[in-house]
Amino acid sequence: MRIAETLDDLHVGTPIEIHGVRLIYKGIVCEHHLGSIIILFSDMSKLEYYQEDLNKEEIMILVDCK
């Protein structure tokens, strides 16, 4: 596992993990746009993340999919 530093680290299909205060959120990158990505979480919710979000949250890459 490693922490994603840029959006280019997060390709479509990359499994990720985010450690919250009380929970660990797991998901997969399902879309990659210019300047943002969309993550589909295991509870079927989707969230859009921008580069500045990567600086605030530590998005862990579980397996490097290139």
Side-chain angles (χ1 to χ4, degrees), residues 11-66:
H11 305 280
V12 172
T14 302
I16 60 94
E17 186 174 280
I18 300 173
H19 292 239
V21 175
R22 297 182 185 180
L23 297 172
I24 296 175
Y25 302 94
K26 294 184 180 198
I28 192 165
V29 178
C30 64
E31 294 180 41
H32 197 286
H33 303 285
L34 188 63
S36 71
I37 59 165
I38 295 180
I39 297 176
L40 174 64
F41 289 96
S42 57
D43 67 356
M44 301 309 289
S45 65
K46 288 184 179 180
L47 282 176
E48 188 168 16
Y49 285 88
Y50 298 91
Q51 180 61 48
E52 55 267 15
D53 297 323
L54 295 184
N55 300 333
K56 290 185 246 175
E57 295 193 39
E58 293 184 343
I59 297 178
M60 303 293 291
I61 299 172
L62 298 181
V63 177
D64 221 353
C65 297
K66 289 187 179 178

